[in-house]
Amino acid sequence: MFKFIIRRIIQTIPVLIGVSILVFSMMHLVPGDPAQIMAGESAPKEQVENIRERLGLNDPLPVQYFNYVKDAVQGDLGNSMRSGRDVTAEIGARFWVTVELAIYSTVVAVFIGLIVGVISATKRYSLADTSLMILALFGLSMPNFWLGLMLIQWFAIGIDLPSWVPFFSDTSWFKPSGWGSFAQVVLPVLTLGTGSAAIIARMTRSSMLDVIDQDYIRTARAKGVKERVVIYRHALKNALIPVVTVVGLQFGGLLGGAVLTESVFAVNGMGKLIIDSIRARDFPVVQGTILVVALLFIFVNLAVDITYRYLNKRIDLD
Amino acid sequence: MQKQKELLKVTDLKQYFPIKGGILGRTVNHVKAVDGVSFTVYEGETLSIVGESGCGKSTTGRAILRLDEPTSGEVEFDGKNLLAYNKREMNKNRKNMQIIFQDPYASINPRHTVRQILTEAMEIQNSVPKNERNDRVIELMETVGLGPHQADRLPHEFSGGQRQRIGIARALSVNPQLIIADEAVSALDVSIQAQVINLLKKLQREFKLTYLFISHDLGVVRHISDRIIVMYLGKIVEIADKKSLFDNTMHPYTTALLSAIPSTDMDKKKERIILKGDVPSPIDPPKGCRFHTRCPFATDLCRTETPELRKADGMLDGHMAACHYMEDIKSGKHQPTTV
């Protein structure tokens, strides 16, 4: 197991190099001269040249890349062009917000997805199964910015219902923006988690159906194992293997989805930071944030692989 | 023949699986997998059920254990009607009857070690006191020819034959009276088949087990059985002790089936009877005798009237077949109607 983890960590190195090259070349692929942008449209030529020299933009590309990586490894991702602050500090202030958002959403998605998937699979072709799967398809098809706006309209601003409707006459239960309190967290988490919940539900259902038809489930029943135990101990544990992979990929997807969700709910996380920085052409911040998100993604997938190894005892990786 | 104790008595067992169709998922038809099957298994014997794929032999086994709920009929085990039990009572009684499945790769949970597989049933049925369970696991493993050092291995570390031994040990773990072996050796290599069959026979002597042995392999069935049931399309066509079935075959279907056994005797000239066509669909089985579409002796009577299982002259007690013309075919009076 230990050997496997070490080997898996070594395998991430080429990915890291690839990511850093992509992020680095971004600055050079975008039209326009960063030095010119930094100095402003009407800045004198000498000033632009000055900045260029200071940023090392006159060095050959490999040298620039090497310097960039050298600084990045030491935690120096440059300074923001907007605020002049350290990029690492800019990201640090927002890192946990996005991570929290993604983790809460994943937890909610896994919770809902597994329950729905198991119910659907055990009651195959029933009314419950059909309705849950239609709901899942709906959840899957909805763009999450739109879902976010709808949720704000319904549950934060409130909708006009006739006053005789009990309970629902005032639905402004949650806050439409910000991050921190429970009332602020609910809507973004639901917005971000719905799509994943739907995918996990569908995956769990089909994986469970595969397993439920196996003879070892019949064997368990023949032993006299209670149906609930058959489903959870024998079926679900075996059905989880493909689901874990999907959950890992979803978590990465959620980091991307956070960009939109954070913008809709004005949550001050890395997603919003990327959007704001792109608007302001604050390249060092964009680069730094993307690098951090990519690292996070790689880390999560590493964790998934290790979990997978634990779940699927048939894989002997050592 | 001495009077033996009836252990399992199946009466008019039917297993229909609904076919859903249409927009609203109505039940449009049924697959009549088992259609009115009755037989008795005596204590300590091996009764085999043979037939082609899809004839309902496995379904019969599962319906007896209520792994699929049978549509109708009666299953009496040791004088008690199993179908009258609720789920809890049924689960309690499962310790008396166990099943071994065909595919040793699919029939044991890949995430459980041999020890877990063997102890789970003991825990549920509480058939072995807690402090004796470990000894029992070792004992069971030795009984089926596995070493105690293999107790904490996972199924994927074993070969097919070894896995089937685990399946057998698992079935034995609760000291059952009846074991239903559903194609228990079909997935194994021939050399391993022989080992496993001999193991089953040895266990039968040691623990006074009763077997309901479901198989399509007549060679295996001939080796292990005391009595044999031949099924075709959800019905029994012939039931007899082994000797009568092989030496005094009555039903044309059985004759055709037996002619397909490969023989090692070079001198014996064997005439193989090749049946025409496929087994008809069990959704809409042929009227009258279900075998008439493929039977060389079929007449109009066969196409309209369903033959009952009956005993004819010259048949031993307990030997019955379901054919209108079995006496005449036997004596040569009734000749094939088709060429």
Side-chain angles (χ1 to χ4, degrees):
Chain A
M1 190 70 183
F2 183 71
K3 254 195 263 170
F4 162 70
I5 295 174
I6 297 293
R7 200 168 53 209
R8 194 59 190 72
I9 290 173
I10 292 171
Q11 279 170 359
T12 59
I13 292 174
V15 182
L16 285 175
I17 293 174
V19 168
S20 63
I21 291 177
L22 271 180
V23 167
F24 169 77
S25 41
M26 193 178 72
M27 196 145 167
H28 299 270
L29 290 173
V30 186
D33 180 357
Q36 181 78 56
I37 293 163
M38 254 183 112
E41 288 295 330
S42 52
K45 256 211 145 93
E46 306 83 69
Q47 201 187 335
V48 175
E49 193 50 44
N50 228 338
I51 292 173
R52 187 171 286 149
E53 193 58 44
R54 185 157 57 83
L55 291 179
L57 290 175
N58 289 333
D59 297 336
L61 274 183
V63 175
Q64 286 189 41
Y65 172 70
F66 181 75
N67 286 331
Y68 173 73
V69 171
K70 201 179 76 189
D71 289 345
V73 170
Q74 290 165 349
D76 177 10
L77 294 168
N79 291 318
S80 163
M81 291 177 177
R82 267 190 310 165
S83 64
R85 284 175 65 197
D86 209 19
V87 171
T88 322
E90 291 270 1
I91 295 170
R94 295 167 174 88
F95 180 78
W96 290 111
V97 173
T98 302
V99 170
E100 270 180 76
L101 175 61
I103 288 177
Y104 294 162
S105 303
T106 307
V107 170
V108 167
V110 168
F111 189 70
I112 297 174
L114 283 184
I115 290 177
V116 169
V118 170
I119 292 175
S120 258
T122 47
K123 309 229 181 293
R124 168 154 55 158
Y125 301 142
S126 66
L127 187 65
D129 176 25
T130 316
S131 349
L132 285 173
M133 282 304 114
I134 289 174
L135 207 66
L137 191 63
F138 191 65
L140 199 59
S141 326
M142 254 184 316
N144 66 11
F145 63 88
W146 182 79
L147 177 66
L149 292 175
M150 286 302 115
L151 287 175
I152 289 176
Q153 179 67 49
W154 278 65
F155 298 112
I157 297 170
I159 38 166
D160 286 330
L161 282 174
S163 54
W164 50 263
V165 181
F167 195 60
F168 285 102
S169 55
D170 175 29
T171 57
S172 52
W173 301 328
F174 305 111
K175 295 219 171 86
S177 68
W179 186 258
S181 71
F182 181 75
Q184 287 173 319
V185 170
V186 173
L187 295 185
V189 165
L190 279 182
T191 305
L192 194 51
T194 303
S196 300
I199 290 173
I200 293 169
R202 288 167 65 99
M203 195 69 212
T204 307
R205 177 180 184 269
S206 72
S207 179
M208 278 289 281
L209 288 179
D210 271 355
V211 172
I212 274 178
D213 274 342
Q214 297 278 331
D215 273 343
Y216 60 81
I217 298 303
R218 254 178 229 121
T219 306
R221 291 201 178 113
K223 285 179 184 173
V225 180
K226 284 197 208 94
E227 189 60 23
R228 198 167 44 85
V229 183
V230 171
I231 295 302
Y232 287 96
R233 194 197 295 170
H234 290 271
L236 185 59
K237 273 198 181 169
N238 278 294
L240 272 183
I241 295 164
V243 176
V244 169
T245 314
V246 170
V247 171
L249 292 172
Q250 284 303 304
F251 188 85
L254 289 184
L255 292 173
V259 172
L260 285 171
T261 310
E262 285 176 9
S263 299
V264 170
F265 288 94
V267 174
N268 216 357
M270 285 193 289
K272 191 160 173 296
L273 181 64
I274 291 178
I275 296 280
D276 292 347
S277 307
I278 290 173
R279 282 215 187 101
R281 302 204 169 221
D282 191 349
F283 290 118
V285 179
V286 177
Q287 275 183 326
T289 319
I290 289 174
L291 194 64
V292 169
V293 171
L295 278 176
L296 200 57
F297 187 79
I298 291 170
F299 173 75
V300 167
N301 275 290
L302 178 66
V304 167
D305 277 1
I306 293 168
T307 319
Y308 199 88
R309 165 73 176 79
Y310 166 74
L311 279 175
N312 190 349
K313 295 182 175 168
R314 272 170 296 187
I315 300 182
D316 194 13
L317 294 149
D318 286 339
Chain B
M1 203 164 84
Q2 72 189 92
K3 188 82 181 146
Q4 282 170 296
K5 190 185 158 210
E6 291 180 355
L7 184 66
L8 178 76
K9 191 171 176 187
V10 177
T11 316
D12 203 21
L13 185 72
K14 285 183 185 166
Q15 179 66 279
Y16 292 178
F17 294 110
I19 305 166
K20 309 260 182 190
I23 304 166
L24 298 171
R26 284 172 306 122
T27 301
V28 289
N29 215 330
H30 288 94
V31 176
K32 301 179 181 73
V34 177
D35 202 2
V37 163
S38 307
F39 61 89
T40 308
V41 187
Y42 298 101
E43 193 166 36
E45 73 165 346
T46 301
L47 175 63
S48 294
I49 304 181
V50 293
E52 288 168 90
S53 351
C55 73
K57 49 191 196 301
S58 291
T59 311
T60 307
R62 284 182 203 164
I64 290 169
L65 294 184
R66 288 179 64 185
L67 293 176
D68 297 318
E69 287 300 326
T71 311
S72 73
E74 259 178 53
V75 179
E76 263 178 48
F77 184 85
D78 218 359
K80 283 164 298 225
N81 185 3
L82 292 183
L83 302 188
Y85 285 139
N86 64 29
K87 272 209 162 126
R88 257 190 61 202
E89 291 167 328
M90 185 64 205
N91 276 345
K92 248 187 180 165
N93 276 281
R94 286 189 186 281
K95 66 168 173 290
N96 297 323
M97 54 205 108
Q98 284 296 313
I99 186 164
I100 302 167
F101 289 103
Q102 170 173 14
D103 183 356
Y105 290 89
S107 60
I108 41 188
N109 191 328
R111 293 177 41 78
H112 288 180
T113 63
V114 177
R115 189 188 302 280
Q116 285 172 312
I117 291 164
L118 296 182
T119 40
E120 187 179 35
M122 297 183 211
E123 277 163 23
I124 292 155
Q125 302 294 353
N126 215 3
S127 57
V128 180
K130 213 169 183 173
N131 50 359
E132 289 169 29
R133 280 178 197 154
N134 261 331
D135 295 339
R136 179 87 177 118
V137 167
I138 305 300
E139 193 188 310
L140 280 168
M141 289 187 71
E142 279 167 357
T143 310
V144 299
L146 294 170
H149 61 284
Q150 292 166 315
D152 293 306
R153 295 205 186 153
L154 289 161
H156 73 265
E157 297 173 66
F158 293 94
S159 69
Q162 286 174 317
R163 281 161 163 249
Q164 199 60 307
R165 286 163 191 272
I166 297 170
I168 294 169
R170 198 223 82 242
L172 288 174
S173 64
V174 288
N175 296 321
Q177 292 169 273
L178 172 74
I179 289 183
I180 297 182
D182 186 358
E183 301 270 14
V185 296
S186 314
L188 307 174
D189 287 342
V190 179
S191 57
I192 310 290
Q193 276 191 8
Q195 286 178 15
V196 172
I197 288 169
N198 290 336
L199 172 66
L200 287 172
K201 284 183 113 175
K202 188 190 103 185
L203 295 174
Q204 182 168 40
R205 283 194 301 273
E206 253 171 68
F207 301 107
K208 305 206 167 28
L209 296 169
T210 307
Y211 288 142
L212 181 60
F213 196 87
I214 297 163
S215 178
H216 65 267
D217 185 338
L218 283 156
V220 170
V221 164
R222 181 177 213 165
H223 187 61
I224 199 169
S225 322
D226 298 311
R227 291 192 303 135
I228 297 169
I229 288 173
V230 181
M231 277 184 79
Y232 184 78
L233 262 185
K235 277 189 179 300
I236 295 179
V237 295
E238 187 158 2
I239 176 168
D241 58 285
K242 175 167 69 180
K243 198 168 172 345
S244 302
L245 192 90
F246 281 92
D247 298 343
N248 187 23
T249 314
M250 296 308 283
H251 198 282
Y253 178 65
T254 316
T255 313
L257 212 57
L258 294 184
S259 80
I261 305 178
S263 167
T264 48
D265 189 351
M266 297 297 281
D267 302 327
K268 209 165 130 194
K269 198 83 177 136
K270 277 190 75 172
E271 201 181 326
R272 285 204 56 186
I273 302 165
I274 314 274
L275 293 176
K276 296 177 309 259
D278 288 322
V279 183
S281 160
I283 297 168
D284 194 14
K287 283 194 180 55
C289 175
R290 294 196 170 181
F291 186 53
H292 82 244
T293 52
R294 300 168 80 195
C295 182
F297 299 99
T299 65
D300 281 342
L301 178 68
C302 303
R303 286 177 201 107
T304 47
E305 237 174 82
T306 311
E308 296 297 322
L309 267 178
R310 64 192 171 92
K311 179 177 170 298
D313 294 339
M315 286 162 79
L316 287 175
D317 267 348
H319 185 179
M320 290 196 289
C323 175
H324 292 302
Y325 294 106
M326 57 186 174
E327 297 96 335
D328 291 349
I329 293 170
K330 196 87 197 166
S331 66
K333 233 161 81 185
H334 185 76
Q335 291 295 322
T337 51
T338 52
V339 187

